Amino acid sequence: MPALVPLEVDIVIHAPVATVWEAVGDPRRLSAWSPQVRQTTLLDGADQVAVGVRFRNQNEHGPLEWTTHGEVVQCDPGRRLAFRLEENWLLWSFTLWDLGDGQTRLVQRRDAPEGISDFAHGLTERYMGGEQAFTSTMRAGMQQTLQGIKDACEQPRSARER
């Protein structure tokens, strides 16, 4: 199984932790900001996010479309949401830090504690331009995701609820 370098990006958001958690505490909201995730659906009749809840993502990258399946492995409201994807074994997380004065540091991280599946590695090499190119694309996508979350969280509540 090929090794994969962890990726981490962070941003300071001028909004309290509770506001930022509303944005990142539920994977179904990812499609609002991620350039790759188009839709997320909770599975097995779940309607709330908790450890053990499984979900399905519909993703796209250019003309490519595919489905991934995830499971929430950590859900500490207001602090951290982490989930593992079945197809590639990657662990994704959002961690929130209260900076005081109504500011939150949001960290998005991609880890590969078990490496990456041969299946996912093959697809990355064949269809995504190779690991180096796709890692660069992923980092840019993570930055875009965090910027979108920041922009949404820094709007007045009435604008966020539309």
Side-chain angles (χ1 to χ4, degrees):
M1 81 187 90
L4 198 63
V5 175
L7 290 179
E8 182 176 292
V9 297
D10 72 309
I11 199 164
V12 173
I13 300 173
H14 299 280
V17 166
T19 299
V20 179
W21 181 254
E22 284 179 33
V24 302
D26 187 335
R28 293 174 288 188
R29 307 263 336 256
L30 279 175
S31 64
W33 305 290
S34 171
Q36 186 172 308
V37 177
R38 291 296 153 243
Q39 182 180 19
T40 302
T41 306
L42 300 184
L43 301 175
D44 306 320
D47 62 355
Q48 299 291 319
V49 175
V51 171
V53 167
R54 296 175 350 99
F55 59 90
R56 178 180 53 246
N57 282 336
Q58 299 301 121
N59 305 293
E60 70 179 30
H61 176 75
L64 301 174
E65 295 181 9
W66 69 97
T67 301
T68 56
H69 298 85
E71 181 176 337
V72 176
V73 296
Q74 187 175 10
C75 184
D76 183 4
R79 294 274 301 133
R80 182 172 160 86
L81 176 72
F83 51 88
R84 183 180 182 275
L85 295 180
E86 182 179 313
E87 289 78 9
N88 57 24
W89 308 341
L90 296 178
L91 181 66
W92 288 90
S93 63
F94 289 98
T95 305
L96 292 75
W97 301 92
D98 187 345
L99 300 178
D101 295 326
Q103 296 184 79
T104 303
R105 177 176 176 237
L106 177 61
V107 177
Q108 183 182 20
R109 187 171 168 94
R110 181 202 73 183
D111 286 296
E114 300 173 32
I116 186 171
S117 70
D118 289 336
F119 171 74
H121 178 72
L123 292 176
T124 300
E125 292 301 315
R126 202 168 304 121
Y127 299 108
M128 309 277 192
E131 185 180 321
Q132 186 174 4
F134 192 57
T135 295
S136 182
T137 298
M138 293 303 294
R139 181 180 302 282
M142 291 166 71
Q143 291 169 332
Q144 181 179 336
T145 297
L146 292 191
Q147 185 63 52
I149 293 167
K150 175 183 174 75
D151 292 346
C153 290
E154 290 181 353
Q155 292 181 3
R157 184 169 187 86
S158 60
R160 289 193 316 266
E161 291 176 345
R162 285 186 214 155

